[in-house]
Amino acid sequence: GFWANFLFAVGILVANVPEGLLPTVTLALAMGSQRMAGRKALVKSLMAVETLGSVTVICTDKTGTLTQNAMALEKIWLAQGGIRAVSEAAAKPESSAEAPAESMLLTIASLCTNATFDGVAYRGDPTEAALLRAARERIGAIAAEKHTEFPFDADRKRMSTVHRIGNELLVLTKGAPETVLPLCSAVLAGERPKPLDREAREAVGAAYDAMADDGLRVLAFAFRRIDARSGADQIDAPGVVERELILAGLAGLADPPRPEVPSAIAKCRSAGIRIFMITGDAAHTAAAIARQTGLASAEAKAVEGREVDAMSDADLQALLKSREVVFARMTPGHKLRIVSVLKEAGERVAVTGDGVNDAPSLRKADVGVAMGLSGTDVAREAADIVLMDDNFATIVNAVEEGRAVFENIRKFVGYIFASNVPEIVPYLAYVLFRIPLPLTILQILAIDLGTDMLPALALGAEKPSPDVMVRPPRDPAERLLSRGVLARSYLFLGPIEAFAGMYAFFHVLAGGGWHWGATLPPGSLLAREATTACFAAIVVTQIGNVFACRSFRESVFSVGLLSNRLVLVGVATEIALALFLVYHPWGNRILGTAPLSPGTWLLLLPFGLLLLGAEEARKAFVRRLEGSDAAATAR
């Protein structure tokens, strides 16, 4: 009849569609983002939680991410005196041959800057703040009037200012040695400058390399005096100001690596994730930090931005196949190109950034990671994740959580889909064998949106598996509903639940005197008891299923029955809700249920244990099979 067919159609639709899946997935992603926030990674996009699990490459900055961003002036080089260590707590420069040059270097560090001291703390760029602190502690504050500033940018790699100090008008310049030295014609040796000839330039270059090899950020400091009477028309453009400078010296600033970075890099390596450092520092400095953090060996290739400019995309792609390459003297444009080439090669890329110019790279990457402490508002707005501690190790923790989230979603997807089979089979049997309807539509909804919800959410809160960062990144094209998950749910666990439900249904019918072919009024007590038994059987087997789904491979007993207490809370809530729906008059009225005898519950309990035991046997077989394959490979 029409109504029987209509009931079948609606029932099959409701049984096939996992109504609880969408809210469960959303809540699992939300819980994953909360766990990341607890580990200092603030997630702006829920989808980024899952995407992190498939990241194959991380492009990271150096300063503040791999290092502590605790800049301190450690060494200086002067034409007379060479390289020597600097103690910021030392007295003022002594009256010696190198004192004028050191005083001038510190004067430039103090004035050619945007860092400030408010009486309590030094504020501004960490490099400039460290230089200002060293200068003030050694020569004190300098009374000067700034006339002009030509700010630092990624192309110029230097900054110049024009200051009036007393009756003198001075050009003060600091920046990368390779951009400052070509502008210099002399070097300050003692009180007088001497020509910056080939021999002097080689000495400067040797000092630069020596300090950079120690992992120091090296800056050159130069100056020029302008005739105060005619100087006003000489300070209108960098090309006019930045010429015939006198080199005061070099300064090397230390920024020690974060102690937790080497272990984080090792974890990435074991997880099959490659890491590329992309920094604006010199090649020697970048390579030294890469060696100190374990990012690269002594043979690692350091590639500068000018070399990248000369490469075709194919050449760059070939270079990026290497595990040990460090990118130095890079601009935001270089970073964007590297990210683009990696994505064209099929990599899943996470990239860090903190500046305004990093926004295109952050948007281009699969996962953009901005710095929460040192990053700009533009960078944070463009990113998917914000690091609250600017720490590379936090990125690795977030990747681990991302992998765990995908794994957990797959766990509760298998759990939810397993209950579809015992919900579908009653409707097929109802039509094919002309039996009374074993399960009502409202009872299906009570399972999908009621009893199954909290246990499924508890599976979404499982801790990462011990080997989650040992496995290689998953294929981005890999489906959440893989063949293995569907086969396990629909062909293994689901049929066990369906058998339990139908057995309970027919057991109650037979006990009430029903025989095959007899009609049974839908609202009769026997019909309600029989459908309730089927409903209860699905609930009981789903309790066994939630423990079985805690791991696809490991035994629930090795995982630990108490290691996820939310599962126990979910099961307790599931039992309480099922008892309410079976025994309370409101539940009886809403779902058409009827109270069951204790004997019926005793009949159902072995089915939950049967399902758990069958899944444990399957896992044991899989582990034995994997062990045999590993042994064969080793031989």
Side-chain angles (χ1 to χ4, degrees), residues 229-428:
R229 291 169 297 177
S230 60
D233 59 351
Q234 299 182 33
I235 57 176
D236 57 345
V240 175
V241 171
E242 297 172 343
R243 59 183 177 83
E244 297 179 4
L245 300 178
I246 302 170
L247 181 68
L250 305 178
L253 295 102
D255 186 10
R258 293 180 182 270
E260 61 272 24
V261 165
S263 61
I265 290 175
K267 187 182 286 188
C268 282
R269 291 263 166 80
S270 65
I273 300 172
R274 294 184 297 148
I275 306 166
F276 296 118
M277 178 199 294
I278 303 177
T279 179
D281 281 346
H284 286 277
T285 304
I289 295 296
R291 289 193 298 271
Q292 293 172 22
T293 57
L295 183 59
S297 64
E299 295 76 27
K301 182 177 177 62
V303 179
E304 295 191 350
R306 53 185 173 79
E307 298 176 74
V308 172
D309 289 334
M311 293 181 184
S312 65
D313 284 353
D315 292 337
L316 182 57
Q317 194 171 104
L319 176 66
L320 288 167
K321 290 180 180 179
S322 169
R323 276 188 174 274
E324 293 200 343
V325 58
V326 177
F327 292 98
R329 289 298 186 220
M330 306 298 285
T331 65
H334 291 132
K335 181 188 285 190
L336 177 61
R337 186 182 174 204
I338 290 171
V339 173
S340 301
V341 169
L342 284 169
K343 290 196 66 176
E344 288 170 5
E347 304 283 359
R348 277 289 183 100
V349 186
V351 63
T352 68
D354 55 9
V356 173
N357 293 331
D358 287 326
S361 299
L362 294 171
R363 288 197 178 96
K364 182 71 175 178
D366 294 290
V367 181
V369 183
M371 303 298 110
L373 296 178
S374 61
T376 61
D377 291 340
V378 174
R380 288 193 287 268
E381 183 65 29
D384 303 296
I385 294 175
V386 178
L387 301 185
M388 305 311 293
D389 58 358
D390 294 7
N391 193 337
F392 176 81
T394 303
I395 304 174
V396 181
N397 292 337
V399 171
E400 183 178 13
E401 287 291 348
R403 290 189 174 192
V405 164
F406 184 84
E407 190 177 70
N408 289 344
I409 290 176
R410 183 167 276 180
K411 287 175 185 176
F412 65 66
V413 164
Y415 168 78
I416 289 173
F417 272 76
S419 66
N420 279 9
V421 179
E423 294 169 356
I424 294 170
V425 167
Y427 281 85
L428 294 176

Side-chain angles (χ1 to χ4, degrees), residues 549-564:
C549 287
R550 289 191 60 194
S551 173
F552 289 116
R553 183 180 176 278
E554 300 300 324
S555 168
V556 66
F557 302 105
S558 63
V559 171
L561 290 173
L562 300 179
S563 59
N564 184 355

Side-chain angles (χ1 to χ4, degrees), residues 57-118:
V57 174
I58 299 176
C59 297
T60 177
D61 295 330
K62 177 185 76 69
T63 304
T65 308
L66 297 176
T67 61
Q68 298 179 24
N69 205 17
M71 287 285 184
L73 182 61
E74 185 167 295
K75 294 181 180 180
I76 62 172
W77 174 88
L78 305 172
Q80 288 187 346
I83 299 174
R84 64 182 178 84
V86 173
S87 172
E88 293 181 2
K92 296 180 180 180
E94 299 175 357
S95 177
S96 61
E98 65 264 23
E102 182 178 351
S103 294
M104 179 54 72
L105 186 152
L106 294 172
T107 297
I108 299 170
S110 179
L111 298 178
C112 184
T113 183
N114 287 314
T116 58
F117 178 63
D118 59 9

Side-chain angles (χ1 to χ4, degrees), residues 180-202:
V180 174
L181 285 176
L183 306 175
C184 296
S185 58
V187 58
L188 191 60
E191 295 185 358
R192 296 182 178 275
K194 71 174 186 178
L196 192 61
D197 54 21
R198 179 178 178 181
E199 182 180 352
R201 289 183 185 275
E202 288 177 352

